[in-house]
Amino acid sequence: MLSSLSFGNTGKMKEYHYTGPVEHRFSPYAFNGGTVLAVAGEDFAIVASDTRLSEGYSIHSRDSPKCYKLTDTTVIGCSGFHGDCLTLTKIIDARLKMYKHSNNKMMTCGAIAAMLSTILYGRRFFPYYVYNIIGGLDEEGKGAVYSFDPVGSYQRDTYKAGGSASAMLQPLLDNQIGFKNMEGVQHIPLTKEKAVQLVKDVFISAAERDVYTGDALRICVITKEGVDEQTIPLRKD
Amino acid sequence: MATLTVNRPPQGGFSFENCRRNALIEGEANKVGCSLPSARKTGTTICGIVFKGGVVLGADTRATEGMVVADKNCSKIHYISPNIYCCGAGTAADTEMTTQLISSNLELHALSTGRLPRVATANRMLKQMLFRYQGYIGAALVLGGIDCNGPHLYSIYPHGSTDKLPYVTMGSGSLAAMAVFEDRYKPDMEEEEAKQLVRDAIAAGIFNDLGSGSNIDLCVISKSKVDYLRPHDEANKKGVRTGDYKYKRGTTGVLTKVVAPLDLEVVEETIQTMDTS
């Protein structure tokens, strides 16, 4: 069976790709995995993320949470390329300080979201490889979730999943929080305890099937009292 | 005037006629942003060790399709003959079919020779087949067993090369497992010590390699017995969900209902349980 000679005239084994010459370039991005989730309630918001940092088939860290506290009323979850996540959060922190010093008040959740959109679009032609979700309380004290794409398009949501297991979690949230695809079910508003329980269960399921999600789950619950963090273990394999 | 038809004799082996077309299609698809479906690989950590009186083979139980877990509890230690077992890493279909083929051929061979099959025979059959397919069959195997010449352990690579060694690891988690072996392997270990070492090597693969996970399967082959321990160690249990996600009857809306009664007589009833974990 000398099929290599039938189409590669040099007789070398590897030459069967006919897409043309391939140029191997240095890629400035890496995919570090991780899943982020945010849920908005009547008077609370929850931002949760797993704590695994991976690359390829290896794990860099089992304790690298992806939620960052910005103010007493806002938490941001960033997943994607960890280098860009760190830089982006540093830039947001700096901008928050600048706003506080020039306007003598803290930025509101909606203002942070609008600002993040402009920061991300400023790098439209060399984007931050980060999937952001902001969770917090708006000016009226109601829960708010803002979800972004890597170049700054955003919208306000009730719930959103982002990151590597987002495609697995979003339909589950659509069903359990949005009551989609269900008939004859009472639309009872989500309580804080039920929401936390749902987030824990949803991450347990994500860790089962997504290799990038696991190790531990960090949940930040934002209420008018402040930001309360809890960590619970997930599968480590 | 009749058209000439050139009759090409049937060529054996793989036909590569579609490779060029496939490469072009892949190029087109990548431009739009889609990707072609990939074969299911097992990710995997498999290993084997020779101890005093036999061999111990170990494997994890996760099968991945891309970076999503396709099977949380698949069996990677395949039966070749009563005294020979084989762990498989690489493309799941390839390892399954290759080991089944060689198992079948080896049984016929054993009947023909009238003797218990030797591990070297299984090794020779596997390597000759894999070399014939020039690496296109993506099966990386750890073959172990005991025969009239004692315990033997081989590692077999997809291109057809083999190594006969006292301890081997294969798969994406092979580096993690080999690190454990290089630290603690000693020649002529006792059975319990060997089982513990293999268990620890697979555990290293499970926890440090994203392509491996779930449970640890072990197969201990010695002169007197074969212990197929599946699972030997449930290293990862599924997290317990606190919420209740059962749906009441009527939650799914019924748009139309058509009932077609089938006039059948029940002859035989068998129950096959699904793994719903």
Side-chain angles (χ1 to χ4, degrees), chain A residues 12-28:
Chain A
K12 283 212 309 253
M13 264 317 302
K14 284 290 173 188
E15 282 188 318
Y16 55 83
H17 289 294
Y18 282 85
T19 43
V22 177
E23 195 184 290
H24 295 281
R25 295 175 57 86
F26 161 72
S27 167

Side-chain angles (χ1 to χ4, degrees), chain A residues 56-69:
Chain A
Y57 276 102
S58 313
I59 300 179
H60 282 312
S61 167
R62 293 194 197 269
D63 187 19
S64 169
K66 291 157 195 69
C67 346
Y68 301 91
K69 183 177 151 188

Side-chain angles (χ1 to χ4, degrees), chain B residues 15-31:
Chain B
S15 154
F16 290 99
E17 289 167 353
N18 288 331
C19 278
R20 196 185 224 164
R21 176 207 75 172
N22 291 347
L24 283 172
I25 293 177
E26 193 173 349
E28 290 298 313
N30 285 339
K31 261 190 238 156

Side-chain angles (χ1 to χ4, degrees), chain B residues 42-49 56-62 72-78 86-89 140 142 168-171 177 181 195 198-203 205-206 212-220 228-235:
Chain B
T42 51
T44 305
T45 308
I46 50 173
C47 66
I49 213 167
V56 180
L57 300 175
D60 74 304
T61 60
R62 173 184 282 181
K72 290 185 273 189
N73 199 198
C74 73
S75 168
K76 298 185 191 180
I77 306 184
H78 309 284
C86 184
C87 310
V142 166
V168 291
T169 64
M170 298 285 255
F181 275 171
K195 277 165 71 174
V198 170
R199 185 248 156 235
D200 289 342
I202 300 291
I206 283 176
S212 315
S214 295
N215 310 322
I216 299 168
D217 288 350
L218 236 57
C219 185
V220 185
Y228 192 90
L229 306 158
R230 178 178 153 77
H232 172 255
D233 195 337
E234 265 192 63

Side-chain angles (χ1 to χ4, degrees), chain B residues 138-152:
Chain B
L141 310 167
V142 166
L143 176 73
I146 195 158
D147 58 24
C148 55
N149 290 103
H152 303 281

